[in-house]
Every structure is written in structure tokens, then in C-alpha cells.
């Protein structure tokens, strides 16, 4: 394991439970890139969202979106590139079969930027849906990303996305470390040379990782990177890696009046797309 690249999930791996980015995780990504370790984002979200986020984070720009269905970049070191890994016809056939069998329980969310998969309401029983698709020989599957149910090509997953992205980098997947938090990250763990699950991951996901973080969310990501550096890149140990034990106060470093305002705002209800309002249910 040479640790030449890092593949990471986004939601609840680089963020908190409300999907707000962890600033220590952002600093860690930028340090990795400065050290020559490329950072690849792998997410169930669409290419426009993930590709843009990669650039703002300071990553190399290479992403695998829609759970590996689209691999490419919207700029950065790789310019504009895109490879479709999915057969959209399979997804459409899957939708038709599910609607015929389950009727009104199959509700599709129309997201214009999504081109290789579909987002369905979470009221659909995943086990029953996938059993039906298998019995009918439809090469599609329904995956729960933790935020939504996604109808995908059966041959697409984050593991395949990681392999394709690594090839674009000229890196062996065995030299890629992976960090994630949910069931759709397991194939990514299997494809990588080393993997870590953040503490908020389900127990079954933790069991598939090489390392289980003590910290959840973005702090867990920071911990995972520090562990990978210790194990595989001791030459980078002297860099100022953020400490997952250190909790940064909202507004730290701002003038006193702005710091107070930031802390007050952070204590109130927060809401993010696909996240939770304080005390509310997931959307």
C-alpha cells in the first residue's frame, strides 16, 4: 500500500449529520493535495454537485458521481472529462418493472442534473424491490445511500468508480485508501488497498473496513487520514495535520462580535438538503 491517493465519500464522512462540511476535513484534503496525494470524491450525488464541490474543497477535481455511474471532472488538474459507466436503459427498465409491481409506492424525484440513475422515495422496500428485479432478470438495483433510495445499473458501484478514477490517475487501486460511512461504500472499501469507516457508520459497514475510527463524521475522516499517514506515509508525518481531538469553536478567529454571532447561529436549528432540521426527521 503506497497511499498515493485517497477516495472518500462526502455526506456524513466529510460533513456532520446536518451535511455541513467539517473545516478540519477540508484542511486535511488540502494538505493531502499539497503533499501529492490526490483526493477523489465518490458520492451518490450528481456530477454537477460533486464535481463542483471537489474544486471548492481544493481536491484534484476527479470524482465518481451517482455511486460510480459517472467518472470524471469539471475542471482542476484534469480539465473537463466524463465517462459514463452505466447503461441508462437498464435503469429505465428497472423503473418500469418496479412501477408495475408496486404502483404508487414507487415515487421518483426528478433531479435535472442526474443523468445515470434515479432517486426514489424511501417508502419503497429495498429487499422486495431488489428481489423483484432479480426474479425478472432486470439488471438494475435499488441502493440506500443513507440519504435516498437510488435506482442504478446493477453493474455500477463505488468500487468500480474507484478503479476507473485510479486508472485516470495512473495509480494502482491497491495504493488508494478509502474512507466512508454507509453500505454503498463497501464496494469502495473492497477495491481500495486500505479502508476506514467513520464512527457513525453502521456496524455491518464497520466490519468491512480495515480500520474503524473512534470519531464520527468529518473528525473521523481526519482521524482516518492521520492513521493512513502513520501506516503508509511516515514521510508525511511532520506536516501540520489537524487533530481530530480538537473541536473548533464556531467563529474562532473572527472579531469578538462576529464570533458571538457565529456561535449563536450555530446553536440554532440547521437544515441542509437531504439532512435534518434540529429535532426533525430526515428528508
Amino acid at each position: 500500500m503506497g497511499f498515493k491517493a485517497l477516495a472518500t465519500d462526502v455526506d456524513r464522512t466529510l460533513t456532520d449529520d446536518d451535511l455541513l462540511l467539517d473545516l478540519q476535513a477540508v484542511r486535511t484534503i488540502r494538505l493531502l493535495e499539497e503533499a501529492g496525494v490526490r483526493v477523489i470524491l465518490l458520492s451518490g450525488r450528481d456530477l454537477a454537485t460533486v464535481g463542483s464541490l471537489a474544486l471548492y474543497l481544493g481536491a484534484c477535481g476527479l470524482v465518481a458521481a451517482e455511486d460510480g455511474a459517472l467518472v470524471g471532472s469539471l475542471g482542476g488538474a484534469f480539465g473537463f472529462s466524463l465517462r459514463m459507466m452505466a447503461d441508462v436503459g437498464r435503469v429505465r427498465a428497472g423503473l418500469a418493472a418496479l412501477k408495475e409491481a408496486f404502483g404508487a409506492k414507487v415515487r421518483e424525484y426528478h433531479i435535472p442534473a442526474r443523468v445515470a440513475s434515479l432517486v426514489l422515495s424511501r417508502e419503497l422496500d429495498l429487499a422486495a424491490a431488489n428481489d423483484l428485479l432479480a426474479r425478472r432478470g432486470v439488471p438494475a438495483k435499488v441502493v440506500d445511500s443513507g440519504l435516498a433510495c437510488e435506482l442504478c445499473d446493477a453493474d455500477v458501484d463505488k468500487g468500480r468508480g474507484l478503479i476507473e478514477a485510479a486508472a485516470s490517475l495512473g495509480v494502482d487501486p491497491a495504493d488508494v485508501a478509502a474512507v466512508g460511512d454507509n453500505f454503498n461504500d463497501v464496494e469502495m472499501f473492497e477495491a481500495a488497498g486500505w479502508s476506514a469507516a467513520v464512527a457513525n457508520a453502521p456496524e455491518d459497514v464497520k466490519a468491512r473496513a480495515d480500520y474503524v475510527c473512534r470519531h464520527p463524521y468529518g473528525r473521523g475522516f481526519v482521524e482516518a487520514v492521520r492513521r493512513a499517514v502513520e501506516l503508509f506515509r511516515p514521510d508525511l508525518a511532520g506536516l501540520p495535520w489537524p487533530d481530530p481531538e480538537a473541536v473548533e469553536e464556531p467563529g474562532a478567529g473572527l472579531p469578538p462580535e462576529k464570533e458571538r454571532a457565529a456561535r449563536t447561529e450555530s446553536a440554532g436549528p440547521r437544515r441542509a438538503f437531504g439532512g435534518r432540521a434540529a429535532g426533525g426527521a430526515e428528508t
Side-chain angles (χ1 to χ4, degrees), residues 151-164:
L151 179 60
C152 316
D153 182 331
D155 292 331
V156 163
D157 56 53
K158 287 188 180 181
R160 188 178 173 196
L162 183 151
I163 292 168
E164 182 68 21

Side-chain angles (χ1 to χ4, degrees), residues 27 31 226 236-243:
R27 292 191 186 100
L31 270 175
R226 288 173 65 107
L236 303 180
L239 294 178
W241 301 105
D243 183 356

Side-chain angles (χ1 to χ4, degrees), residues 200-224:
N200 50 292
E203 292 303 318
D204 287 348
V205 174
K206 292 177 181 177
R208 307 292 289 276
D210 295 307
Y211 178 76
V212 177
C213 301
R214 292 184 298 108
H215 297 285
Y217 307 111
R219 290 170 65 197
F221 171 82
V222 171
E223 177 189 345

Side-chain angles (χ1 to χ4, degrees), residues 33 38-41 47-64 71-83 168-169:
E33 287 283 350
R38 295 299 197 184
V39 179
I40 310 162
L41 303 188
L47 179 66
T49 300
V50 187
S52 298
L53 177 62
L55 300 179
Y56 285 115
L57 287 176
C60 68
L62 191 62
V63 304
V71 177
S73 69
L74 298 181
F78 295 89
F80 181 86
S81 63
L82 176 64
R83 181 171 179 185
S168 297
L169 288 173

Side-chain angles (χ1 to χ4, degrees), residues 142-237:
V142 183
V143 176
D144 190 342
S145 70
L147 294 176
C149 286
E150 299 162 8
L151 179 60
C152 316
D153 182 331
D155 292 331
V156 163
D157 56 53
K158 287 188 180 181
R160 188 178 173 196
L162 183 151
I163 292 168
E164 182 68 21
S168 297
L169 288 173
V171 170
D172 190 318
D175 289 327
V176 180
V179 187
D181 79 308
N182 217 320
F183 294 102
N184 60 333
D185 295 319
V186 168
E187 290 85 359
M188 177 176 71
F189 290 175
E190 293 172 347
W194 181 84
S195 60
V198 290
N200 50 292
E203 292 303 318
D204 287 348
V205 174
K206 292 177 181 177
R208 307 292 289 276
D210 295 307
Y211 178 76
V212 177
C213 301
R214 292 184 298 108
H215 297 285
Y217 307 111
R219 290 170 65 197
F221 171 82
V222 171
E223 177 189 345
V225 171
R226 288 173 65 107
R227 182 58 177 159
V229 168
E230 290 171 4
L231 290 173
F232 309 113
R233 292 295 303 271
D235 57 307
L236 303 180

